[in-house]
């Protein structure tokens, strides 16, 4: 047992120079998502009336943040849309560079929590509705008698039925070769799946930083310590 433990430790020691790769991969996945999400919330993504308006949130996003009937119904929509937009846009670029990684992860985690609770929560977990209960991740939760799992599996059957009707209509009246060229149709469930995954990735970056050798944070810290 001691020999196996020593061998395991030796292997990990030799691979330690690669321990920055998980952080790098997380950053490369998250950065484009955050940058484009923030960009689309800001007036710079459209046609601003003046130069200074470019720094504000997009008017339609502000309306969506504040409207109680078809939007989020949040207080201070101008301020929240502005903060969300710039946190995601600038935070995404900082993540890409690995600069102030731990710091910028904090507001981005907050935006993920707000998105999950205010936009996606009532839709359940899945971002894309599963069409086969046998391969749905809810099957495991159903084995554990987790509340809502059985309903999720039943929903998969209903989604499957609707997808089959959509495909039938396309096959009969549409242009299936053209319409399916880029992929088969699916039903957007718009659940918290992506928000939760992004939150977990950001939380990991908060604790482990931008990664050894692969972030500006690492080289800045190394230069400061060597002075």
């Amino acid at each position: 047992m001691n020999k196996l433990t020593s061998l395991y430790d030796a292997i990990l020691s030799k691979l330690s120079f690669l321990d920055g790769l998980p952080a790098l991969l997380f950053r490369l996945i998250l950065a484009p998502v955050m940058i484009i999400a923030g960009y689309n919330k800001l007036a710079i993504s459209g046609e601003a009336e003046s130069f200074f308006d470019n720094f504000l949130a997009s008017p339609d996003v502000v309306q969506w943040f504040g409207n109680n009937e078809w939007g989020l119904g949040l207080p201070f929509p101008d301020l929240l849309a502005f903060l969300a937009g710039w946190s995601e846009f600038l935070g995404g670029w900082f993540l890409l560079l690995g600069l102030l990684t731990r710091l910028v992860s904090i507001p981005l985690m907050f935006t993920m929590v707000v998105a999950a609770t205010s936009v996606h929560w009532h839709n359940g977990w899945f971002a894309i509705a599963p069409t086969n209960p046998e391969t749905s991740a809810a099957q495991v939760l159903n084995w554990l008698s987790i509340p809502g799992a059985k309903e999720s599996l039943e929903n998969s059957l209903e989604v499957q039925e609707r997808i089959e009707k959509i495909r039938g209509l396309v096959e009969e009246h549409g242009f299936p070769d053209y319409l399916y060229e880029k992929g088969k149709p699916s039903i957007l469930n718009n659940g918290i799946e992506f928000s939760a995954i992004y939150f977990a990735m950001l939380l990991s970056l908060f604790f482990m930083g931008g990664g050894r050798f692969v972030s500006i944070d690492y080289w800045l810290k190394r230069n400061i310590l060597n002075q």
Side-chain angles (χ1 to χ4, degrees):
M1 188 66 180
N2 289 334
K3 289 183 178 180
L4 288 176
T5 302
S6 299
L7 178 61
Y8 176 74
D9 291 339
I11 293 174
L12 286 182
S13 178
K14 290 185 179 297
L15 293 176
S16 63
F17 72 98
L18 296 173
D19 61 11
L21 286 181
L24 175 63
L25 293 176
F26 280 6
R27 284 167 36 219
L28 293 178
I29 293 170
L30 286 165
V33 174
M34 298 302 165
I35 291 171
I36 198 64
Y39 176 78
N40 286 323
K41 288 183 177 70
L42 300 172
I44 54 175
S45 62
E47 297 181 0
E49 296 182 0
S50 68
F51 173 77
F52 292 103
D53 286 339
N54 283 303
F55 297 96
L56 301 177
S58 177
D60 57 334
V61 174
V62 173
Q63 291 178 4
W64 179 59
F65 268 52
N67 192 282
N68 287 312
E69 296 180 0
W70 49 264
L72 302 181
L74 298 174
F76 313 110
D78 295 85
L79 176 62
L80 292 180
F82 172 84
L83 292 175
W86 281 109
S87 293
E88 292 173 341
F89 185 65
L90 292 180
W93 287 110
F94 276 45
L95 286 180
L96 189 63
L97 297 172
L99 178 61
L100 303 177
T101 305
R102 286 187 168 91
L103 182 62
V104 300
S105 295
I106 297 172
L108 293 178
M109 283 191 287
F110 181 75
T111 62
M112 291 303 100
V113 171
V114 173
T117 55
S118 62
V119 181
H120 307 290
W121 188 264
H122 64 283
N123 295 321
W125 171 259
F126 294 106
I128 303 296
T131 59
N132 185 352
E134 297 299 323
T135 59
S136 171
Q139 189 72 257
V140 177
L141 302 181
N142 189 48
W143 293 341
L144 300 173
S145 300
I146 302 298
K150 183 179 179 181
E151 289 79 0
S152 178
L153 296 176
E154 293 172 351
N155 183 65
S156 293
L157 293 174
E158 295 184 11
V159 170
Q160 185 181 62
E161 180 182 343
R162 285 162 173 76
I163 287 292
E164 289 175 353
K165 288 184 178 180
I166 291 172
R167 291 177 179 173
L169 290 171
V170 171
E171 294 287 342
E172 183 177 357
H173 303 289
F175 305 91
D177 292 339
Y178 169 73
L179 293 175
Y180 295 161
E181 183 180 4
K182 302 299 182 181
K184 295 295 180 68
S186 60
I187 293 180
L188 180 67
N189 194 58
N190 207 25
I192 68 170
E193 184 176 7
F194 290 157
S195 296
I197 292 173
Y198 295 154
F199 177 87
M201 295 169 72
L202 289 164
L203 184 63
S204 297
L205 289 176
F206 173 76
F207 284 107
M208 66 183 174
R212 185 162 60 151
F213 303 131
V214 295
S215 67
I216 293 179
D217 288 337
Y218 170 79
W219 294 106
L220 286 176
K221 183 178 179 180
R222 180 170 177 171
N223 290 334
I224 291 173
L225 292 176
N226 288 337
Q227 289 180 357

